[in-house]
DNA sequence: TCGATGCTGAAGTATCGGCTTCAGCAATGG
DNA sequence: CCATTGCTGAAGCCGATACTTCAGCATCGA
């Protein structure tokens, strides 16, 4: 598997699903095998594998198969992609508030 | 509509959809009416209204109807919810790396 | 070597979610 | 007061997707 794209597009979609979010939460603590992930989730290995594929495409997770065990670990860059998107939204949002502030300040001018 | 829940659960689901993400991006710049949002998106007013309902439930957006116009604006708290979730994941992730570091440090001990 | 373990691929099902249409209603403005 | 504008509710369509089962295959360990 080559390295993934890291578009916020995919990251948000990946985290939109509760099961995948749960997986990411587990993976943020330590790497897990497919079956280790499946256990607590109460889904089949196949389901987990499918979710892992999505997570991997999003760039949030990296997996590596050694012998018959595939180990998945969190990829920090994925989180950064998210953070960047949020930061940008917040910047625009604050600019918006600033403009509003300026407008209100103009009330200092005499209206008549 | 009373105030929303602010669970990361809902926020991620809300942002998982491309159309809603586009709406949030527009709203981060300035508030918009339902029809103002609909225009560039090429969807019906109904669709936008449905998306707004989801966004509002997630706490990302607040809307207010004045006369016949409903105005939607971004709610900063929603973004914070996201940021917190990410921060927590990152914290766990780094703890994981730290533990790994300690393990490797033990190589300093004589092996024989 | 043989059974158990861990995973994978293909294929099908069923639920969900995004979208539309249509019919209506309230506010606006000339 | 009437036409226009802006939105809403109900209902239905359809494609996406989360999940399953089943049949394999490779690896590991005794």
């Amino acid at each position: 598997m080559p390295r993934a794209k890291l578009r916020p597009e995919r990251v948000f979609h990946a985290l939109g699903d509760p099961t995948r979010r749960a997986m990411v939460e587990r993976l943020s603590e330590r790497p897990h095998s497919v079956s280790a992930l499946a256990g607590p989730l109460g889904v089949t290995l196949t389901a987990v594998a499918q979710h892992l594929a999505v997570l991997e495409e999003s760039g949030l997770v990296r997996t590596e198969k050694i012998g018959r065990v595939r180990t998945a670990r969190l990829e920090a860059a994925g989180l950064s992609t998210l953070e960047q998107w949020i930061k940008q939204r917040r910047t625009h949002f604050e600019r918006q508030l600033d403009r509003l502030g300026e407008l209100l300040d103009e009330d200092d001018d005499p209206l008549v």
Side-chain angles (χ1 to χ4, degrees), chain A:
Chain A
M1 222 123 289
R3 200 151 258 79
K5 285 97 196 240
L6 271 252
R7 270 173 294 164
E9 170 76 16
R10 304 202 171 233
V11 181
F12 277 116
H13 171 251
L15 290 175
D17 177 76
T19 304
R20 281 194 291 267
R21 216 163 35 246
M23 288 170 64
V24 167
E25 289 177 3
R26 304 262 318 281
L27 290 176
S28 72
E29 292 165 6
R30 79 190 69 83
H32 288 275
S33 70
V34 175
S35 36
L37 283 171
L41 291 175
V43 294
T44 60
L45 294 186
T46 308
V48 170
Q50 286 164 357
H51 283 307
L52 275 181
V54 173
L55 286 170
E56 204 165 0
E57 273 197 41
S58 80
L60 270 171
V61 160
R62 187 167 38 101
T63 78
E64 184 191 14
K65 186 160 186 176
I66 296 178
R68 60 185 169 177
V69 177
R70 176 173 300 276
T71 304
R73 56 191 72 246
L74 198 62
E75 190 78 27
L79 294 182
S80 306
T81 305
L82 263 195
E83 273 170 341
Q84 265 197 297
W85 185 90
I86 298 172
K87 193 173 192 169
Q88 200 160 4
R89 294 303 65 76
R90 203 183 269 291
T91 302
H92 288 154
F93 183 67
E94 279 158 10
R95 231 198 289 288
Q96 175 188 162
L97 294 184
D98 288 350
R99 281 200 306 272
L100 179 60
E102 287 171 18
L103 270 181
L104 292 179
D105 285 350
E106 288 173 9
D107 284 356
D108 295 345
D109 295 355
L111 278 174
V112 189

